Amino acid sequence: MAVRVIPCLDVDAGRVVKGVHFENLKDAGDPVELAAEYYRQGADAITFLDVTASSSHRNTMIDVVSRTAEQVFIPMTVGGGVRTPEDVDSLLRCGADKVGVKTAAINDPSLISRVADRFGNQVLVLSVDARRDQGEQRTQSGFEVTTMGGRRST
């Protein structure tokens, strides 16, 4: 079995960040520089997740994707703030190979088929943030799905 290395860089306000449960985010560097370094070190692909795009009601980072695509020549998946097939189109045109959706797909499950019908199944990545139920067990599994960067239970 082949091992694939796919770094996932959480981004906020155009910078890579690290935090716990998407809170107390600390700056960890420039996303383009870090993606290029992972590329030089042999990463198989790169994933960017704009962790506050949905909760801040803004679109994802087109400029970061464009600048990264000029330097990094491995598949790139981008998610965060993707709400429509037009958002997917913009990301694909600036260099993304795949586009991740979460909050918008949970709010409107038809988004999945609309994107897949227009761009093909291979373009779409459905992202799910799951955590243990908070307090009383509300689900049979004991886990719940969250949206808005882990801020809202669904």
Side-chain angles (χ1 to χ4, degrees):
M1 181 158 93
V3 174
R4 291 180 41 118
V5 175
I6 305 173
C8 180
L9 302 175
D10 291 344
V11 179
D12 178 38
R15 301 289 293 175
V16 174
V17 293
K18 292 296 173 196
V20 177
H21 303 293
F22 306 112
E23 295 178 357
N24 300 316
L25 300 176
K26 304 226 184 300
D27 187 282
D30 178 80
V32 179
E33 290 175 12
L34 289 169
E37 182 59 26
Y38 281 122
Y39 170 63
R40 282 190 291 278
Q41 291 185 26
D44 296 296
I46 294 286
T47 298
F48 284 129
L49 295 178
D50 190 330
V51 296
T52 58
S54 290
S55 62
S56 297
H57 306 290
R58 61 178 168 71
N59 291 335
T60 197
M61 53 203 164
I62 297 287
D63 63 317
V64 169
V65 175
S66 294
R67 290 185 293 125
T68 303
E70 292 173 0
Q71 297 184 38
V72 174
F73 304 100
I74 53 178
M76 184 172 21
T77 301
V78 181
V82 179
R83 295 174 190 84
T84 66
E86 290 71 28
D87 293 338
V88 173
D89 186 57
S90 294
L91 287 166
L92 294 174
R93 288 182 186 277
C94 71
D97 297 281
K98 294 177 184 269
V99 177
V101 295
K102 180 182 58 180
T103 299
I106 290 170
N107 292 340
D108 177 13
S110 75
L111 176 63
I112 296 168
S113 59
R114 289 185 290 135
V115 169
D117 290 346
R118 183 166 168 188
F119 303 103
N121 295 352
Q122 77 287 349
V123 164
L124 188 64
V125 175
L126 178 62
S127 176
V128 176
D129 287 340
R131 68 178 177 202
R132 291 195 185 280
D133 277 341
Q134 305 296 303
E136 279 185 37
Q137 187 172 350
R138 296 181 289 204
T139 64
Q140 280 187 329
S141 69
F143 290 87
E144 63 183 349
V145 171
T146 65
T147 60
M148 307 299 277
R151 291 171 182 81
R152 183 178 300 157
S153 297
T154 61

